[in-house]
Amino acid sequence: MKRILIIVLCLIMVLLSSCQTAKKPEQPAESTPETTTTTTTTTTPTTTTTPADPYEAVYAQLARLTKEDGTGEISLDMTSQEIVKVLDKYGIEYQDFEPQGDFSNGHVYVGKNAYFDGLFGGYGQFVLKQTYKGLKAGDSLERALEIYGEPDELIDEVTDYKTLIYVQKKINVDEYTTEIKFSIQLHKDIVEDTCVQVIIPYEQLYG
């Protein structure tokens, strides 16, 4: 009997051990990959430009009024008062005006254009940013030569400046035979100004 009980107990123990279910190992939770947001800042490079001359369109208008030989609606032999009348006629504003007086010369400024009167024998001197033939400040030396050809005189300074001089015509003023000259001033071969003026030849003054 005891033997039977022992056998039964052994069977029960075997059954119990076989019935035990092994726990599955816990699956690690799937890790959600972290989303990294990258902010890209695009920097637009700033370019520095030289502001345009606000009188550029006016210079083109004035260029039609004075030729390289000093003639035109605004001519070298006009007084500052007469010049202003022409400007008023076309509605061109001037920034500075000083009429010719008994003991002083007059002047008119339109932007960087300058008109001086009565400097010699009733003739003045004009500094112009654009010429009758279309040359303007900022143009190259090549452009100047293309329009006007080789100069009658070249003043080539040691610095980066040079002047091209074109003799337009000769006129008699007082006891002198003078020349009307058109000149182009350049800096590093770029046009800065043009000038129309009456010049007494050096040999007449000092010869």
Side-chain angles (χ1 to χ4, degrees):
M1 188 74 176
K2 286 182 182 178
R3 195 173 170 184
I4 295 172
L5 281 172
I6 291 170
I7 293 170
V8 170
L9 285 173
C10 286
L11 288 172
I12 291 172
M13 288 180 67
V14 169
L15 286 172
L16 285 173
S17 64
S18 64
C19 288
Q20 286 180 354
T21 7
K23 290 185 181 179
K24 289 184 180 180
E26 290 185 2
Q27 296 274 338
E30 289 186 5
S31 58
T32 306
E34 292 183 6
T35 305
T36 306
T37 305
T38 306
T39 306
T40 306
T41 306
T42 305
T43 306
T44 306
T46 54
T47 51
T48 306
T49 55
T50 305
D53 191 323
Y55 296 99
E56 192 170 334
V58 178
Y59 298 150
Q61 188 178 5
L62 289 168
R64 307 309 304 163
L65 303 179
T66 304
K67 296 181 180 180
E68 287 81 356
D69 64 358
T71 63
E73 287 193 65
I74 297 180
S75 60
L76 275 181
D77 58 354
M78 291 172 66
T79 65
S80 54
Q81 292 94 322
E82 291 171 327
I83 292 171
V84 162
K85 286 181 181 179
V86 177
L87 298 179
D88 289 340
K89 171 185 171 182
Y90 289 101
I92 298 172
E93 296 182 4
Y94 37 90
Q95 285 63 60
D96 190 16
F97 162 52
E98 183 69 36
Q100 188 178 28
D102 294 335
F103 304 103
S104 63
N105 304 110
H107 64 258
V108 183
Y109 285 95
V110 181
K112 294 177 183 176
N113 266 26
Y115 301 87
F116 303 100
D117 70 359
L119 297 180
F120 172 69
Y123 287 87
Q125 173 180 315
F126 297 165
V127 178
L128 307 173
K129 288 294 180 180
Q130 185 166 332
T131 70
Y132 188 82
K133 292 185 178 179
L135 185 73
K136 58 185 177 181
D139 284 348
S140 64
L141 170 62
E142 289 74 17
R143 174 68 175 156
L145 295 175
E146 179 186 333
I147 295 175
Y148 296 103
E150 291 298 324
D152 297 304
E153 302 173 44
L154 170 63
I155 301 174
D156 195 353
E157 301 179 15
V158 178
T159 60
D160 294 322
Y161 291 90
K162 66 179 62 170
T163 303
L164 311 180
I165 300 175
Y166 299 86
V167 178
Q168 300 296 299
K169 59 183 178 182
K170 295 184 178 182
I171 57 173
N172 294 317
V173 179
D174 299 333
E175 72 273 20
Y176 299 106
T177 301
T178 63
E179 297 172 333
I180 292 182
K181 292 186 177 182
F182 165 67
S183 60
I184 303 170
Q185 288 81 41
L186 302 105
H187 179 234
K188 294 184 178 179
D189 291 341
I190 299 298
V191 176
E192 286 198 329
D193 291 301
T194 68
C195 181
V196 182
Q197 63 187 135
V198 173
I199 300 290
I200 305 172
Y202 181 87
E203 58 274 12
Q204 290 195 44
L205 282 176
Y206 305 104

